[in-house]
Amino acid sequence: MPASMPTETDTFAAAWEDWHAVHEQHRADPHGFLAVTHLHWLDGHAARLDGAPGAWSVENDVVRVVLEAGESLLQDGRELNTAAGATLDFGPIEERGGVNLVSGSTVLELAKRGGAYVVRPRNPQNGLLRDYRGTPSYAPDPAFAVGGTFVPFKAPRPTTVGAAVEGIQHVYEAPGEIRFQLDGQELTLTAFNGHAPGTLSVLFTDATSGKTTYAANRSLTVAPAVDGTVRLDFNRAVNLPCAYTDLATCPLPPAENRLAVAIEAGEQIPYERQARS
């Protein structure tokens, strides 16, 4: 008997499987967020940090690192200094920007979050990364891939949102909102600029949050066409780093993006978070 032709649902599921495999590969990068071992907040007092050489401090928007004899840091493959008492200065760094420094097999992420400076060592031997076994997800369902319209604001709106760690806030520029229908309801989501040119990022929660999906947030990337039409494939809604580790500073959704409908699509609560519940 001739082999049956794949159905539209089969093709949709296969495309999702390919996409999610690439996403999982990126998430398990040896120096990705699963490799973060510590979250160090810097202040004006020089302090040695677990997982990093030197004594670190920040003053007037400049981070200073004082190395001892035998300690070194690399930046872009170049050794900065190994002399005893060497002083290195970095900054100022833009909000949500950062610098990667290397110490042995560890990458040190020096970044600015919520107006404060942080250092996050990323070690490939971190247990969270070493034991990672993938993320559970809903089976792909074309019913949760819907069309919508991106409606730009007259001017981008600065939008302040909370963070996964207490004490800081994030400010994003929202260029507009996305209007769509799901489960017979008219819905709207405020969109932020995405990482890639021409994309938008949507942070949201829904009626599954805290039940089958991570309570604080999920993220969906979309790419509006020139005429504003957009496809929201919630099967590709993903967890942010804070779903896996408490060493993340992820933003929370704006209040208007807390949807009452159940979006039973996309990534679910990670195994790592389930184990701590």
Side-chain angles (χ1 to χ4, degrees), residues 31 35 37 51-52 73 101-108 120-124:
H31 292 111
T37 58
L73 288 170
L101 306 170
V102 177
S103 173
S105 62
T106 299
V107 169
L108 305 174
R120 285 189 286 203
R122 297 172 179 244
N123 190 310

Side-chain angles (χ1 to χ4, degrees), residues 30 34 54 86 94 162 218 237 267:
L34 293 175
E94 294 183 359
R218 285 194 289 166
E267 293 189 330

Side-chain angles (χ1 to χ4, degrees), residues 47-85:
R48 297 192 66 84
L49 310 177
D50 288 342
W56 298 69
S57 61
V58 61
E59 187 174 2
N60 297 326
D61 222 21
V62 174
V63 173
R64 174 158 294 175
V65 186
V66 179
L67 299 175
E68 294 183 354
E71 294 182 329
S72 65
L73 288 170
L74 279 74
Q75 184 178 17
D76 298 327
R78 178 174 60 89
E79 192 165 40
L80 298 180
N81 207 315
T82 58

Side-chain angles (χ1 to χ4, degrees), residues 3-267:
S4 58
M5 295 292 292
T7 66
E8 186 175 339
T9 299
D10 292 336
T11 302
F12 182 88
W16 180 89
E17 293 285 356
D18 290 342
W19 164 81
H20 201 240
V22 172
H23 184 72
E24 287 280 42
Q25 185 178 24
H26 174 74
R27 179 153 45 205
D29 182 274
H31 292 111
F33 72 81
L34 293 175
V36 173
T37 58
H38 302 85
L39 175 60
H40 300 297
W41 296 93
L42 303 182
D43 58 25
H45 298 89
R48 297 192 66 84
L49 310 177
D50 288 342
W56 298 69
S57 61
V58 61
E59 187 174 2
N60 297 326
D61 222 21
V62 174
V63 173
R64 174 158 294 175
V65 186
V66 179
L67 299 175
E68 294 183 354
E71 294 182 329
S72 65
L73 288 170
L74 279 74
Q75 184 178 17
D76 298 327
R78 178 174 60 89
E79 192 165 40
L80 298 180
N81 207 315
T82 58
T87 299
L88 308 173
D89 289 341
F90 302 94
I93 294 174
E94 294 183 359
E95 181 67 28
R96 290 187 292 279
V99 172
N100 285 335
L101 306 170
V102 177
S103 173
S105 62
T106 299
V107 169
L108 305 174
E109 175 197 10
L110 169 60
K112 194 175 187 180
R113 299 291 184 268
Y117 282 89
V118 298
V119 174
R120 285 189 286 203
R122 297 172 179 244
N123 190 310
Q125 297 305 312
N126 188 38
L128 186 64
L129 174 61
R130 187 182 60 244
D131 300 334
Y132 182 64
R133 54 193 176 108
T135 296
S137 301
Y138 284 101
D141 183 350
F144 286 100
V146 299
T149 303
F150 172 64
V151 181
F153 299 138
K154 290 183 179 179
R157 296 178 183 174
T159 304
T160 301
V161 298
V165 294
E166 294 184 7
I168 69 169
Q169 293 182 319
H170 297 282
V171 180
Y172 292 90
E173 280 204 341
E177 62 186 18
I178 297 173
R179 301 171 184 173
F180 65 104
Q181 289 187 353
L182 188 65
D183 196 25
Q185 299 187 44
E186 298 280 348
L187 301 171
T188 301
L189 288 168
T190 295
F192 299 142
N193 291 313
H195 292 292
T199 65
L200 299 172
S201 177
V202 176
L203 302 175
F204 71 96
T205 60
D206 64 278
T208 69
S209 301
K211 300 172 183 176
T212 56
T213 62
Y214 181 54
N217 50 27
R218 285 194 289 166
S219 175
L220 180 65
T221 298
V222 299
V226 174
D227 63 358
T229 57
V230 63
R231 185 170 184 261
L232 298 97
D233 186 354
F234 286 102
N235 296 280
R236 302 193 181 197
V238 298
N239 294 322
L240 295 177
C242 55
Y244 303 83
T245 174
D246 295 331
L247 305 177
T249 60
C250 304
L252 303 180
E256 63 270 23
N257 285 13
R258 301 181 185 278
L259 305 178
V261 298
I263 300 181
E264 296 175 321
E267 293 189 330

